[in-house]
Amino acid sequence: MPPTSTRTYRAGTLKEALCRVRRDLGGSAVILGTRELRRRRWLGLGERELIEVTAAPPGLPADRSGIAVSVSASATTGRAPVPARAGLDDRLGRVREAVEGLSRLGSFEHLLIDVPTPLTPAYARLLDREVPEHLARRLVRLVADTVEPDELHRPEAVAEAMRRAVAAGLPVAPPISGVVGSRRVVALVGPTGVGKTTTVAKIAANAKLGLGLKVGLVTVDTYRIAAIEQLRTYAEIIDLPLAVADAPDRMPGALDDLGGVDLALIDTAGRSPRDEVKIRELAGFLAVARPDEVHLVLSAASGEASLRAVVDRFEPLGFNRLILTKLDEADTLGPLLGVIARAGRPITYLTTGQGVPDDIEPADRDRLAALILGQEALS
Ligand SMILES: Nc1nc2c(ncn2[C@@H]2O[C@H](COP(=O)(O)OP(=O)(O)OP(=O)(O)O)[C@@H](O)[C@H]2O)c(=O)[nH]1
Ligand SMILES: [Mg+2]
């Protein structure tokens, strides 16, 4: 017999909990609330995070929703589902006050439900785009705080607020520039094959042709003849000086060999995030070059776990900017939100294809937010 009342499901992840809901109550089950719980581990060793989902079978009358469900909904939003009975209303009011009181003391904050019911579809869309769960919860909370209650049911208002919430959390910095007559040194670092050399060529062409700067290229990729040839080809097409530094102590000479440039772009060999020795070796080159900016190049087409590892392992290179490449190849950009938050450094460029010099744009937080949310397409 199908269940006839609301039920709660606890699991390590939201996905797991929702799977159980679907299995028990079917695909049209109504999600009444979700909340995060922390449980002491066995023998008190640390804490474990649990997600609790409260769900009802489709078509369950509103007045049968249990008090626990309604407490959850009211606790975060102050907007409980309209109860059908006055008695229930009173009880809800009392519980709401109690929970709010506790949360003011800070001790029950983690028990509060995170996803107000009208925002459940928006929350599901974030998860669908693979935005990490904890960020998705934070975003819907922000949206709930900024959108008027009667607007929460208007998808356009929610979409607009969501874009603003995402954009507000995206750090961006202006594109690479230079001042005529003083040399600015900028290095690009990152894993193999993410588009460093192609991006150097795009930036160089735009700086020379668009900004009228004198630009020079330095490569420290001496492992592969093909790598030097690749950069040399771009240098010839764009008509730029190119110098090779095959050891850290050659770096100052290589920079000087470029002549009086306004902008020196250093292209580096791709490093595996697992290869600590090579990363340290590259740090040696950069220590001598003393670049004004070090951009970590991340491919949006990589998975979240590997991008996080890249951010952590490239830390010794002291990068202070991010470039996101291959946006055109990524299935979804949601995982980038977690990576950008972890890196905590501003984004300068987005690259959107193989074409040099056109497939690059300065990072714009509204545009990137819209792309991440699927509200805008690359054109
Ligand atoms: N689809 C797409 N391809 C890109 C983009 N940027 C670069 N590529 C391609 O990615 C491949 C590798 O680009 P490279 O610039 O050689 O990458 P790299 O980081 O310099 O590689 P290593 O020097 O070997 O570490 C090339 O085929 C580029 O055309 C982009 O934004 N989108
Ligand atoms: Mg390269």
Side-chain angles (χ1 to χ4, degrees):
M1 220 178 73
T4 53
S5 60
T6 62
R7 291 186 160 196
T8 57
Y9 297 82
R10 287 178 184 179
T13 65
L14 183 71
K15 218 180 201 166
E16 229 178 286
L18 289 177
C19 270
R20 286 197 214 153
V21 171
R22 206 167 295 135
R23 201 182 52 212
D24 273 17
L25 305 179
S28 318
V30 181
I31 306 300
L32 297 166
T34 67
R35 64 179 188 167
E36 205 177 292
L37 302 168
R38 279 179 214 286
R39 275 287 171 86
R40 284 236 152 254
R41 279 185 196 273
W42 179 236
L43 297 177
L45 295 173
E47 285 182 331
R48 186 160 74 103
E49 192 178 274
L50 283 179
I51 302 297
E52 184 182 88
V53 173
T54 308
L60 187 73
D63 65 353
R64 293 182 61 180
S65 55
I67 207 160
V69 174
S70 309
V71 167
S72 298
S74 63
T76 310
T77 62
R79 286 172 228 121
V82 181
R85 290 173 299 176
L88 181 59
D89 221 3
D90 285 352
R91 278 189 290 155
L92 282 178
R94 280 201 304 277
V95 180
R96 185 185 311 153
E97 266 169 39
V99 172
E100 277 170 358
L102 286 168
S103 75
R104 269 197 299 278
L105 294 173
S107 54
F108 272 61
E109 195 126 305
H110 58 285
L111 286 178
L112 298 184
I113 184 216
D114 296 290
V115 184
T117 308
L119 291 178
T120 309
Y123 180 56
R125 267 196 302 278
L126 290 176
L127 296 185
D128 210 40
R129 301 197 73 78
E130 295 179 24
V131 172
E133 273 181 38
H134 70 284
L135 292 180
R137 284 199 294 276
R138 207 176 296 163
L139 285 168
V140 285
R141 248 182 346 238
L142 266 172
V143 169
D145 286 347
T146 50
V147 176
E148 291 299 323
D150 51 352
E151 288 277 279
L152 276 181
H153 295 276
R154 222 163 51 78
E156 312 84 67
V158 171
E160 168 65 16
M162 188 62 84
R163 191 173 52 74
R164 270 189 270 116
V166 172
L170 290 173
V172 295
I176 296 167
S177 61
V179 177
V180 176
S182 75
R183 187 174 73 193
R184 187 161 190 83
V185 179
V186 176
L188 269 65
V189 300
T192 53
V194 291
K196 296 178 295 300
T197 305
T198 312
T199 306
V200 162
K202 291 172 181 175
I203 294 170
N206 284 298
K208 176 170 170 159
L209 308 172
L211 304 176
L213 296 175
K214 276 197 198 160
V215 183
L217 307 180
V218 175
T219 177
V220 298
D221 191 342
T222 55
Y223 293 92
R224 297 169 307 135
I225 303 288
I228 302 180
E229 285 316 309
Q230 185 191 7
L231 198 63
R232 197 185 307 282
T233 305
Y234 283 126
E236 279 167 11
I237 296 170
I238 309 166
D239 190 19
L240 305 170
L242 167 74
V244 179
D246 50 14
D249 60 2
R250 273 283 302 138
M251 197 47 126
L255 285 167
D256 290 343
D257 286 349
L258 298 176
V261 294
D262 310 315
L263 177 63
L265 292 168
I266 303 177
D267 184 27
T268 62
R271 298 290 199 248
S272 156
R274 293 169 184 279
D275 194 340
E276 255 182 66
V277 174
K278 291 254 170 60
I279 289 177
R280 250 186 278 124
E281 194 182 286
L282 183 52
F285 277 92
L286 296 185
V288 182
R290 299 162 54 93
D292 298 287
E293 294 169 24
V294 178
H295 295 237
L296 176 64
V297 182
L298 297 172
S299 163
S302 309
E304 193 196 354
S306 65
L307 287 174
R308 279 170 176 268
V310 169
V311 165
D312 292 349
R313 307 250 169 86
F314 278 74
E315 204 62 68
L317 297 178
F319 63 91
N320 50 12
R321 302 278 193 278
L322 300 179
I323 293 176
L324 307 178
T325 58
K326 305 197 181 185
L327 266 68
D328 54 310
E329 280 189 16
D331 288 330
T332 173
L333 301 177
L336 286 178
L337 277 184
V339 178
I340 293 165
R342 187 177 191 92
R345 267 146 280 193
I347 307 155
T348 45
Y349 294 99
L350 312 177
T351 82
T352 55
Q354 292 181 291
V356 177
D358 291 334
D359 292 338
I360 187 165
E361 44 186 276
D364 175 276
R365 52 164 64 96
D366 269 337
R367 159 96 166 141
L368 182 54
L371 289 171
I372 289 173
L373 294 170
Q375 296 177 357
E376 231 172 70
L378 294 171
S379 61

